[in-house]
Amino acid sequence: MWNSMSNYNSISSILFTFLFSVILCLNKAHSGQSTEESPGEFYHVVETKSLFPEQSCKPSAPIGEKHGATLEVVHRHGPCSKLNSGKANNMPSLTEILERDQARVNSIRSRVSLNSGRSQAVEKAATLPAIDGSTIGSADYIVTIGLGTPKKDLSLIFDTGSDITWTQCKPCAGSCYKQHDPIFDPTKSSTYANISCNSALCSSVASATTAKPGCSDSTCVYGVQYGDKSFSMGFFARETLTLSSKDVFKNFMFGCGENNQGLFQGTAGLIGLGRDKLSGASQIGTKYGKYFSYCLPTASSTGYLTFGKGDKIPEATFYTPLLTSSQSPTLYFVTLLAIRVGHTKLSISPTVFSTVGTIIDSGTVLTYLPPHAYSALKSAFRKKMSMYPLTSPTSVLDTCYDFSKYSSLAVPKISLYFSGRAKMELGTTGILFGQSMSQVCLAFAANSEASDVGILGNVLQQTFNVIYDIGGGKLGFAPGGCS
């Protein structure tokens, strides 16, 4: 029975690919286009249901023993997250996701602005109003770390666009939002210690938070406010951080937050993986040569965050130089040069991407391109998807399709090319984004201005092994990272 069904599915797939090839060739012949493009080489042929996550957790291969410290990564709204008790619930609506994403993008733009955006962001952050922030943006991936002695496990959002690491702390003198794990109590840890106001470390908090630190009874007070007005305030302290039995870091500097607001969705706080010297990546990186990597899973699977070189690096890994912006030195910049859709290389001058540059960010959902580059991408993608019906746009997503009547799809491959001859060929999970069959959209959007920074978001990065070799000054990526 199983063999018969397997053969049936195999035949169906072959028939679909054959019929699609015929239709594609007839369409191109009729329009006078070349018929060189074939489904296998330039298209992903997939079942429509594969575009959406499973309702139950389907973990990837076990992490096992690796060189370096490895943490399991899960999507905080997916069934693999303990925040959701094994069920895919609490998922924000598509409108909410896009609103949060836009708030994060606006914050990043202000930091990288060619004008006065950064000084305005610092001024706003310094005030830290005690109000309920509407969102924390779209940082959707979490890891579990141990903090204190004895250690307490805490689920933290990890974010390459942030620097300071913080968690909620008792007694919540201001306010604390609801979290899944018990709130960390520094009085129950034998290794907790506040940092003095007079310490040089206290002064360095400003670069990790863009807000000048305060002082309370000679203890350093930090405050960080995000672009959507979510915030955390509390004492800047030292504590023992545990990643595994072999990876224990004494005197790890973090924020012990007693006044925290925003939609952090049950997590205990955030671990910052930016390039500031106080970030988690920098502090842990002192042992591992400033090197970490991750694989962002789909919502119903698992990935990893590894500090250190981990297992053998895949042969298919491409590297591109990591760049630094003087206006926002803690973000990760790369040089995007070109985009290909199917067999068509888009007619975009490299200078279109280099006006402000492009960052890679684990917390932004969509990928944002300069207006001219996005226009070329949209035009080419729509042309190659002309056999499917367009449907209504939503927010910044203006190329959306109704796949409700299709069991299989042929989606044109999209490849990004970077300096250093690096290539990133996206799978369908990195190309399409949506929550229902009747509205699935191209997971790219246009920046408002040509002077806005480009952003490579987390949908694009899904299932890639992404390597941050900060010490070596390069970024690497290889497909199939989570398996």
Side-chain angles (χ1 to χ4, degrees), residues 455-467:
I455 304 174
L456 306 178
N458 58 39
V459 169
L460 174 144
Q461 298 175 57
Q462 280 183 3
T463 72
F464 274 86
N465 178 28
V466 184
I467 299 169

Side-chain angles (χ1 to χ4, degrees), residues 354-377:
S354 62
T355 301
V356 180
T358 304
I359 67 166
I360 183 168
D361 181 44
S362 68
T364 303
V365 174
L366 304 178
T367 290
Y368 293 82
L369 299 174
H372 176 72
Y374 176 72
S375 177
L377 171 64

Side-chain angles (χ1 to χ4, degrees), residues 135-191:
T135 71
I136 179 55
S138 315
D140 286 327
Y141 292 95
I142 61 174
V143 294
T144 299
I145 57 95
L147 192 67
T149 306
K151 78 177 180 71
K152 301 297 181 183
D153 287 339
L154 300 170
S155 299
L156 303 181
I157 298 166
F158 82 86
D159 183 11
T160 60
S162 300
D163 290 293
I164 193 166
T165 296
W166 62 268
T167 187
Q168 296 198 111
C169 287
K170 288 185 176 181
C172 295
S175 64
C176 286
Y177 58 87
K178 186 177 180 180
Q179 67 176 56
H180 179 273
D181 304 308
I183 294 176
F184 183 72
D185 186 349
T187 65
K188 300 293 179 63
S189 173
S190 63
T191 47

Side-chain angles (χ1 to χ4, degrees), residues 278-416:
L278 291 182
S279 77
S282 295
Q283 292 189 67
I284 298 170
T286 56
K287 178 178 178 179
Y288 292 115
K290 296 184 178 180
Y291 188 110
F292 70 93
S293 61
Y294 59 66
C295 180
L296 304 180
T298 58
S300 58
S301 189
T302 58
Y304 58 81
L305 168 63
T306 297
F307 295 96
K309 292 199 173 181
D311 289 339
K312 183 179 178 182
I313 298 172
E315 293 182 3
T317 302
F318 288 94
Y319 288 97
T320 186
L322 272 175
L323 307 177
T324 303
S325 165
S326 59
Q327 289 157 316
S328 194
T330 67
L331 296 177
Y332 296 99
F333 280 81
V334 292
T335 302
L336 178 61
L337 297 175
I339 301 175
R340 185 181 295 275
V341 180
H343 80 304
T344 305
K345 182 179 179 181
L346 305 184
S347 181
I348 307 170
S349 169
T351 58
V352 169
F353 299 111
S354 62
T355 301
V356 180
T358 304
I359 67 166
I360 183 168
D361 181 44
S362 68
T364 303
V365 174
L366 304 178
T367 290
Y368 293 82
L369 299 174
H372 176 72
Y374 176 72
S375 177
L377 171 64
K378 175 178 72 173
S379 177
F381 189 80
R382 286 189 174 193
K383 192 172 186 178
K384 296 179 188 299
M385 291 283 286
S386 60
M387 66 288 290
Y388 303 111
L390 284 164
T391 189
S392 58
T394 177
S395 183
V396 295
L397 298 176
D398 63 4
T399 299
C400 303
Y401 296 89
D402 181 355
F403 294 142
S404 58
K405 296 181 179 179
Y406 297 84
S407 59
S408 297
L409 301 170
V411 181
K413 294 180 179 179
I414 295 179
S415 299
L416 279 62

Side-chain angles (χ1 to χ4, degrees), residues 75-132:
H75 193 288
R76 61 172 163 162
H77 300 300
C80 295
S81 170
K82 65 180 182 181
L83 275 59
N84 294 326
S85 303
K87 298 179 181 179
N89 57 12
N90 298 322
M91 181 71 78
S93 69
L94 184 58
T95 299
E96 290 173 327
I97 291 171
L98 297 177
E99 285 177 351
R100 298 175 188 184
D101 208 37
Q102 195 59 53
R104 182 180 180 91
V105 169
N106 290 341
S107 177
I108 290 173
R109 286 172 181 168
S110 73
R111 292 169 63 183
V112 189
S113 173
L114 293 176
N115 301 308
S116 58
R118 181 168 170 79
S119 62
Q120 292 172 0
V122 172
E123 182 181 353
K124 290 179 181 178
T127 61
L128 291 172
I131 60 175
D132 186 1

